[in-house]
Amino acid sequence: MVSQSSAQTLNPRTVHREFFGVPGALAVMTGTVSVVFVWYFSCNPQVGCQLPTTHEQWTHILRGAFNYQDYLSSTALVAYTVWWAWLALLYFVLPGHVVEGVELRDGSRLKYPINGLSSFFVTLAVALAAYTYWGTLPFVWIADHYFQLAVSSILFATAQALFVYAYSFRSSSVMLALAGNSCNPIYDFFIGRELNPRLGPLDLKYFCELRPGIMGWVLLNTSFAIRQHTVFGSVSNSMWLAIVPQIAYCVDTLVFERNVLTTMDIVTDGFGWMLSFGDLTWVPVMYSLQARFLAFHPVHHSSPMAALIAVMAVASFLVFRLSNSEKNAFRTDPNDPKVRHLKYITTESGSKLLVSGWWGMARHINYTGDWFFGLAQCLAAGFETPMTYFFAVYFLVLLLHRNYRDECKCRDKYKKDWIRYCEQVPYLFIPYVI
C-alpha cells in the first residue's frame, strides 16, 4: 500500500491545464467529431466535395447527422472490433525484440515488443488471401461503408478512453501523467489520467499509437484505390501519387517503431480520449481524405505536374526521415561514426543539443519535411476543392502546437542553456526564413 504522501510525490496535482482546461477539452472533443461528420456529408459521391457555405448545405449535413440509422451499424462495429482484436492478438503472439522505454519518474523502465512491422506483413498476407478468395468485394465493402466504420471507431475510441480513465483509479501506486491529475473528470478523461495503462503486457497507448490507426489508414487507402478501379476501370495517377507516399510513410513508421518510445505521446502524455480518438479515428479517417475523394472523382495530372508532386514528396520525406534518423542515432550513441562529427553543446543537466547537421539548420527541421510531405499528397488531389487540403491546414496547426509545447518544455528544462542553443540555431523550421 502506497502512503498518501508517496502518492502525492509520485503524482503531483496538475496545476496547468492545456487547451484552456475543461472548455477547451469539450471544444476539441465536439469539434473534431463534428469535422469527421461535416467532411463526410460535404464530400461524397452524392453531393460532390465543396465546403458547406449555404443554408441548404448545412441543412443537408444536420439532416444526415440526425439520421443515425444510416450510419450506426452493428456490422461495422463488429468489423472494427475484430480489426482491433486481430492486431492485439498479433501484438501478443508474433516474435520480436523486446526493448526498454525511457526511464520513468520512479526509476523504472517498461518493456515493449517491437513487432509492428511483422504484424503489418501478416495482415497484408491475410488481405491478399482474402483478395484471392473473394476478389475485390471485401475492399469495396470497406470503401462503401467508410462512414459506418468511422463512426464505429469513434464509439470504440470513446469506450476505450472511458475504460482507461476508470481503470486508472485501481491503485494509488498507478503512475499518472503530470498533465492528467487535475481531479476534474472531464479534463482528465480528455487529456489522459494514467501515463501507461496496461492490460498485462499489452500497453494500450503504445499499441494504439501505431497499429489500428496506421494500418487502418493503409487499408482504407488500398480500398479506395480498388473502389476507383472498380468504378472507372483504372487507377488514376493522382491516386498513386496520394496513396503510395502515405503507405510508404506508414511502413516507415513501423520500420522505426522503437523511435516512438522517445516521443512526447509515449513519454509524457497520458492516454485519454485525445490520443484514443486521434489514433483510432482521426489518423485513418481524416488522413485518407485524398484517396476517398479520388475514389469517386479521379484527377488526371499532366506528366510534368505528376513529376513535380512526386519529387516534392520524395524530397520532403528525405528531410523528415534523415533528420529523425540523425537525431535518434546521436541520442543512442554520440560516438557512432555516422554522427560523431556533429557539433553540440552540453547543458548543465548533461544533455547534448545538436548545433550542426540537420539540427543545426533549424530546431524543428523534421516538422518542415513532415508538413511538405503532407502537402504533396494534398496537391495530388488537384485544385477543385479546398476540402482535400484540410490535412495540410490541420497538420500545420498541429505542428505549431507541438513546436510550442517543445519550446516551453526545453526552455523550462535547459533554462539558460536553451537561450545559448537558440542563439546558435536561430531558425525554427526553414533555414534563413523562419
Side-chain angles (χ1 to χ4, degrees), residues 272-340:
W273 190 90
M274 181 176 71
L275 284 182
S276 183
F277 172 83
D279 293 340
L280 302 188
T281 300
W282 192 257
V283 167
V285 170
M286 295 307 298
Y287 289 15
S288 62
L289 176 61
Q290 292 81 25
R292 184 168 71 85
F293 168 73
L294 293 169
F296 65 83
H297 189 91
V299 172
H300 301 279
H301 292 294
S302 66
S303 296
M305 184 64 183
L308 178 63
I309 294 172
V311 168
M312 180 179 177
V314 171
S316 53
F317 178 78
L318 287 175
V319 171
F320 167 78
R321 172 43 51 212
L322 293 176
S323 60
N324 276 328
S325 294
E326 181 182 81
K327 175 185 67 177
N328 288 313
F330 184 81
R331 183 179 288 169
T332 302
D333 181 11
N335 295 316
D336 187 314
K338 297 178 181 178
V339 294
R340 65 185 178 191

Side-chain angles (χ1 to χ4, degrees), residues 369-388:
D370 211 0
W371 186 78
F372 278 101
F373 183 68
L375 178 62
Q377 294 141 39
C378 295
L379 290 170
F383 304 97
E384 296 185 28
T385 173
M387 296 197 78
T388 53

Side-chain angles (χ1 to χ4, degrees), residues 199-263:
L199 296 175
L202 177 62
D203 189 294
L204 288 169
K205 182 169 65 170
Y206 169 69
F207 168 74
C208 290
E209 183 80 11
L210 296 183
R211 308 201 185 199
I214 292 292
M215 297 186 202
W217 182 9
V218 174
L219 181 59
L220 281 173
N221 274 352
T222 304
S223 298
F224 288 133
I226 291 173
R227 188 73 176 87
Q228 186 191 76
H229 187 276
T230 301
V231 175
F232 298 99
S234 64
V235 177
S236 64
N237 63 355
S238 57
M239 179 67 84
W240 290 117
L241 287 167
I243 71 170
V244 169
Q246 290 181 352
I247 293 173
Y249 182 89
C250 293
V251 174
D252 173 82
T253 301
L254 295 169
V255 169
F256 295 95
E257 182 179 13
R258 69 177 59 199
N259 291 351
V260 77
L261 298 177
T262 60
T263 62

